[in-house]
Amino acid sequence: MSRIGKMPIEVPAGITVEFERGVVSVKGPKGELTQEIADRHIEIVKEGAALHVNRNSENKETRAKHGLYRQLISNMVKGVTNPFVKTLIVHGVGWKCSVTGNRLVMNIGFSHQVEIFAPDGITIACTDPTTITVTGIDRQLVGQVAATIKSKRPVEPYHAYGIRYKDEVVIRKEGKTGKK
């Protein structure tokens, strides 16, 4: 049995979870999320204030997806309760960013501005010119938007210029030694 798959999912008050025809939908105060369960051998059972993800088959594919679907549903429940947040730091001489409407405009050392549009359900904010905050209820989408922003200027190891996550540790390399 999967260690992650057998753990129950606690559903707080005010959250409704429905499972019909292979689609799980979670509604909460922050919004609504849906996830298709592609494996017909996985079922969701509600017992009181908890959800249990069970599997009816022991084939390899079903066992592999058991923990995955449990964690996806757990992230949906957490997301409609408290939105997920990723914070990025822009580090470079003269680099800055700003938000106009639903688009992020970054001056990050290119001859042109880099623009990224926020998809539906994602909020991008700049608390100061070098800090970007990506917020949303869908954990996968928040992570993907943050990774797209980060990919526009990866961190280089000599001066640590670039865009990085707030909690990311940058390992610096030593420059030329100047031996004589």
Side-chain angles (χ1 to χ4, degrees):
M1 190 80 174
S2 169
R3 283 182 285 170
I4 294 173
K6 68 181 178 183
M7 294 183 347
I9 302 168
E10 297 298 323
V11 180
I15 306 286
T16 59
V17 180
E18 297 175 1
F19 180 62
E20 293 180 5
R21 293 187 220 123
V23 177
V24 177
S25 61
V26 179
K27 295 178 188 174
K30 302 293 181 183
E32 178 181 355
L33 293 171
T34 60
Q35 173 68 44
E36 182 179 347
I37 306 293
D39 196 336
R40 60 186 167 93
H41 297 291
I42 292 181
E43 64 180 16
I44 293 138
V45 178
K46 187 170 185 174
E47 295 177 4
L51 291 176
H52 295 279
V53 179
N54 300 326
R55 65 177 190 243
N56 299 331
S57 174
E58 290 297 321
N59 67 19
K60 186 176 181 179
E61 188 175 317
T62 303
R63 286 187 321 211
K65 291 182 179 177
H66 183 206
L68 168 74
Y69 285 128
R70 184 259 174 217
Q71 195 60 40
L72 289 175
I73 296 167
S74 175
N75 287 339
M76 291 167 56
V77 170
K78 289 176 188 173
V80 297
T81 307
N82 289 333
F84 293 101
V85 178
K86 289 271 188 179
T87 305
L88 298 120
I89 306 294
V90 178
H91 180 70
V93 177
W95 294 8
K96 59 185 176 180
C97 57
S98 63
V99 175
T100 306
N102 69 340
R103 86 189 151 124
L104 173 68
V105 180
M106 298 183 291
N107 295 320
I108 49 176
F110 295 122
S111 62
H112 58 281
Q113 294 179 338
V114 177
E115 295 182 357
I116 295 177
F117 292 91
D120 292 337
I122 297 294
T123 304
I124 299 176
C126 291
T127 55
D128 60 66
T130 59
T131 305
I132 303 168
T133 305
V134 181
T135 309
I137 62 173
D138 188 355
R139 186 174 191 170
Q140 185 272 332
L141 191 56
V142 169
Q144 183 61 52
V145 171
T148 301
I149 294 170
K150 186 176 182 288
S151 71
K152 298 302 178 188
R153 199 67 154 171
V155 177
E156 58 92 21
Y158 294 102
H159 300 287
Y161 293 152
I163 301 173
R164 62 180 173 86
Y165 296 114
K166 184 177 181 180
D167 56 350
E168 182 178 355
V169 176
V170 177
I171 299 175
R172 303 272 307 263
K173 287 185 177 179
E174 184 179 346
K176 294 182 179 179
T177 57
K179 292 183 181 178
K180 294 184 179 183

